Amino acid sequence: MLRLSLAALLVCFQLLHPAAAADPARGASVDAEAWARGIAAVRAGAPEAAVPHLERAVSSAPDHAGLRLDLGVAHFLADNDRKARFHIDAALSGRLSDDAERLARRLLARLDRRRVWRTRLRFAIVPQSNAAQRSDLREIRIGTLVLTPNEADEPGTALSYGLSVTYTPRFEDGWRGRLRLGLSGEVYENDDWNETSAALEAGLTRKRGDRRIGGGVLAREHYLAGERFSYDRGLYATYRDRLSRRTRVAARVEAGAREAPDRPARDAGFGSVSVTLRHAPSPRWLLSGGVSASRIDARSEAESRRIAGLTLGVTRAFDGGWVASLDARLSRERRDGPAPVFGERRDETTRALGLRLLNRDLTWRGATPVLKLEYEERAANIAYFGYDNTSVSVGLTRSF
């Protein structure tokens, strides 16, 4: 009943407030025919049929906030919550009438109330130039001693996968539960390189306006070559807020204990904090930046370390449905004590640059093909721990 009344409300809104909807006459670049077909389908109560037409209209003019809102409405009525939120948020970063902005905020509030389950699935084939992240050194000098590593950098191809399921039941006065299960990893032709991570988080969040505060417990397991490498147990806290129509902030804090069953020197307490800022100057552009810091206090000084990181990103939507993202990462890691054998503290800087490309108009059974190129380099004061790696990822991503 709620959905029917809301659909009627949205139809009345577009009939009574045409200025808030996309007006093809305002720009020759807008695919007016696709927009008209999409709006007609929404008004006819067929939002699923409207989505492909409105997607094409948005692709023809990514900067048009009204088009974004119309597409968000169609996705909302078709129960595509993640895509509805994406396009409604993008519309709010552009120029909307007061009535359209009120509708957008009402839809976001309804999305928060009705969405209980969230699932994300991805698969990708990832050829890499240095899959095991090994140094290209052919000999190592330690004083007068010269050693020859028996393993060199080697190309490899991974099947990368990820699955996350989140359940957020609603309680009273803005409170929601949160249970999240996650599984991710990479499978290689060389089983020794296989890597798997599993995570569980359980907690509560409270929403007041645009502000959300949450916290809970976490557990993580990490496997290398099919064997348990380490597991974490701890607590987390989160904070999210919308600073303005175009700017959002998110923060996360973690603290806990890590155990490595076969490597007791790596048993440790850990703590981390990260802050991310996202700014959308227009529906076409999205800018992001983040800082992070973490501390691992292990039994062994050689395994204890401090890590500081910085991330920067920019995403641009092009005509024709193409979306490109450029991301840069920089991190600095410094160990407390000297590395065994080398007798020197490790001090390493990792840099990475990635390009991600997709087309919103291209889907296969609800999944979006994604192409990603990345270059990563670690510069280390002990050359044996340095490496560089180039990867190409071709995969599918779907959220539902």
Side-chain angles (χ1 to χ4, degrees):
M1 190 66 186
L2 173 64
R3 179 173 172 178
L4 290 176
S5 62
L6 180 58
L9 172 65
L10 295 173
V11 170
C12 291
F13 177 85
Q14 294 206 7
L15 289 172
L16 297 174
H17 304 280
D23 181 0
R26 294 174 56 185
S29 61
V30 176
D31 188 334
E33 182 180 356
W35 172 81
R37 289 180 177 178
I39 294 300
V42 171
R43 290 174 174 167
E48 296 89 350
V51 165
H53 300 299
L54 292 176
E55 288 276 10
R56 285 195 293 273
V58 168
S59 297
S60 69
D63 273 330
H64 201 306
L67 284 170
R68 289 278 190 176
L69 182 55
D70 287 333
L71 178 55
V73 167
H75 277 302
F76 179 91
L77 294 173
D79 292 329
N80 300 326
D81 288 2
R82 183 187 66 86
K83 292 183 178 181
R85 179 178 294 279
F86 173 82
H87 290 291
I88 294 169
D89 273 332
L92 283 170
S93 68
R95 303 177 66 178
L96 292 173
S97 71
D98 291 343
D99 286 335
E101 183 177 345
R102 281 193 291 270
L103 174 65
R105 293 192 178 279
R106 176 182 290 185
L107 291 175
L108 289 177
R110 286 179 179 263
L111 282 170
D112 287 335
R113 289 197 298 270
R114 82 177 189 184
R115 191 172 187 186
V116 175
W117 289 96
R118 303 178 186 180
T119 304
R120 182 175 176 85
L121 179 65
R122 65 171 178 83
F123 286 97
I125 303 296
V126 190
Q128 302 174 66
S129 64
N130 184 8
Q133 299 180 344
R134 295 171 178 161
S135 170
D136 60 0
L137 289 177
R138 293 298 173 263
E139 66 177 28
I140 303 171
R141 294 182 177 273
I142 305 175
T144 59
L145 182 64
V146 179
L147 302 177
T148 302
N150 59 7
E151 295 179 331
D153 55 325
E154 183 179 345
T157 299
L159 171 62
S160 178
Y161 62 90
L163 171 66
S164 67
V165 180
T166 306
Y167 176 55
T168 55
R170 295 190 302 271
F171 303 124
E172 297 296 327
D173 196 26
W175 287 95
R176 301 192 76 154
R178 182 174 182 272
L179 179 64
R180 180 184 181 276
L181 300 172
L183 181 67
S184 63
E186 294 183 337
V187 179
Y188 293 87
E189 60 270 30
N190 184 338
D191 293 342
D192 292 339
W193 301 349
N194 291 349
E195 189 170 356
T196 304
S197 295
L200 168 66
E201 293 181 1
L204 293 170
T205 62
R206 191 180 189 190
K207 185 176 186 296
R208 284 294 180 89
D210 291 324
R211 182 176 302 169
R212 296 184 186 180
I213 299 176
V217 297
L218 63 86
R220 290 190 289 253
E221 306 271 346
H222 191 60
Y223 295 83
L224 291 177
E227 296 183 358
R228 194 184 200 189
F229 183 77
S230 65
Y231 58 91
D232 298 347
R233 302 291 184 268
L235 304 173
Y236 75 90
T238 59
Y239 174 84
R240 293 174 58 191
D241 199 2
R242 185 186 292 272
L243 303 181
S244 69
R245 283 179 56 181
R246 295 180 170 88
T247 306
R248 288 173 289 171
V249 64
R252 181 180 174 99
V253 178
E254 292 185 3
R258 175 171 299 162
E259 293 188 31
D262 298 328
R263 302 167 181 80
R266 294 185 177 181
D267 291 350
F270 66 85
S272 67
V273 57
S274 62
V275 180
T276 304
L277 196 67
R278 294 164 66 89
H279 177 71
S282 77
R284 187 186 290 266
W285 289 94
L286 176 64
L287 309 177
S288 63
V291 293
S292 62
S294 61
R295 167 67 179 168
I296 298 175
D297 191 8
R299 289 187 181 182
S300 166
E301 286 192 336
E303 297 295 337
S304 299
R305 54 198 179 273
R306 293 179 175 85
I307 307 171
L310 172 68
T311 60
L312 296 172
V314 57
T315 299
R316 188 178 192 278
F318 296 88
D319 296 348
W322 291 101
V323 179
S325 301
L326 185 65
D327 298 290
R329 303 195 318 269
L330 177 67
S331 66
R332 175 78 179 274
E333 178 177 323
R334 185 170 177 80
R335 304 286 177 118
D336 290 0
V341 179
F342 297 95
E344 186 178 356
R345 287 196 302 178
R346 293 173 59 178
D347 190 352
E348 300 160 359
T349 300
T350 303
R351 308 176 186 88
L353 186 66
L355 175 64
R356 186 170 177 265
L357 187 65
L358 60 89
N359 190 305
R360 293 185 300 101
D361 297 337
L362 300 178
T363 59
W364 180 74
R365 296 189 177 183
T368 302
V370 179
L371 172 67
K372 185 176 181 180
L373 311 175
E374 184 174 80
Y375 175 75
E376 183 179 60
E377 176 190 52
R378 178 192 287 172
N381 63 326
I382 302 176
Y384 176 74
F385 296 106
Y387 69 86
D388 61 78
N389 184 34
T390 302
S391 64
V392 179
S393 172
V394 181
L396 294 170
T397 299
R398 185 179 181 185
S399 298
F400 47 94

